[in-house]
Amino acid sequence: MIRMTGVALGLLCLFAACQRDDSFTPDGLPGRDIAVHEAVDGLAVGHRLMAAGEYDLALRAYFRAAAEQGPGVDVLSAIGSANLRLGRLGQAESLLRRALDTDPSFVPALNNLGVVMAERARWGEARHLFQTAFALDSGRSGEIRENLRLAIANLEDSDYTVENNYNFALVRRGNGRFLLLSTL
């Protein structure tokens, strides 16, 4: 009788172990499923990761946002900005131009495309993009003002070296505001 109870208890434990839920949540981590109303916006997560310097992870979050929301101006600009931070200038330029095709007055995409042009030493185009962003922003962003100042200085001063490009700053829109992502 004791032996039979031990076997039954062992089988019960084995059955319980097989019933354990090892499913993965939408964010790829083990645990309970997240309801749609509990899911975190991929753009918000990506912006936080960009601020933390985790550009690869931010890019993944932005791709998730693109899958959930579609390729809107915010998403395209964010993906382009992450690619810029990863040094993928061609991809960044393409995505930021697509964002501007969607909304030509989107200030973060204008500024960030200006940064791409500055990185490529295309100062005339960078200046034009920064001027447009500055005008649309009504001069409120100090980062855009500084980017414009540096682009103008580069057009006027041929002795300016490429090593000084680290002064350019990326901006993004979060909750209706323009914020500095990071400076080096």
Side-chain angles (χ1 to χ4, degrees):
M1 182 78 163
I2 294 175
R3 186 166 195 218
M4 185 61 113
T5 306
V7 171
L9 184 59
L11 287 173
L12 184 60
C13 288
L14 182 61
F15 180 75
C18 290
Q19 294 297 318
R20 194 179 77 185
D21 183 20
D22 284 334
S23 65
F24 287 86
T25 61
D27 60 2
L29 300 173
R32 69 176 181 82
D33 286 333
I34 297 175
V36 174
H37 68 277
E38 293 179 295
V40 178
D41 177 36
L43 273 175
V45 171
H47 292 333
R48 283 188 225 123
L49 289 166
M50 285 287 283
E54 297 291 339
Y55 308 123
D56 282 321
L57 294 174
L59 191 57
R60 286 182 179 184
Y62 292 146
F63 283 139
R64 187 181 65 159
E68 293 170 353
Q69 302 171 13
V73 67
D74 284 321
V75 173
L76 289 171
S77 178
I79 294 171
S81 299
N83 276 301
L84 174 58
R85 284 299 191 178
L86 290 168
R88 301 171 184 161
L89 299 181
Q91 291 175 3
E93 180 179 353
S94 173
L95 288 159
L96 291 166
R97 288 192 189 281
R98 280 183 57 198
L100 290 172
D101 287 343
T102 304
D103 181 0
S105 64
F106 191 66
V107 174
L110 284 164
N111 181 73
N112 295 346
L113 183 57
V115 172
V116 171
M117 294 301 105
E119 290 290 328
R120 292 185 164 183
R122 291 167 51 185
W123 299 113
E125 191 172 357
R127 177 184 177 178
H128 172 73
L129 290 161
F130 292 140
Q131 278 180 318
T132 305
F134 186 74
L136 290 171
D137 185 48
S138 301
R140 290 183 304 231
S141 173
E143 294 83 17
I144 296 173
R145 184 182 316 113
E146 182 63 16
N147 289 348
L148 177 58
R149 187 192 66 73
L150 290 171
I152 292 170
N154 278 298
L155 282 172
E156 295 171 355
D157 183 14
S158 62
D159 293 335
Y160 187 80
T161 61
V162 175
E163 292 104 34
N164 289 334
N165 283 345
Y166 62 85
N167 290 326
F168 286 94
L170 294 176
V171 294
R172 66 172 167 86
R173 181 167 59 187
N175 298 328
R177 299 179 319 179
F178 298 102
L179 302 172
L180 175 65
L181 285 175
S182 66
T183 58
L184 300 175

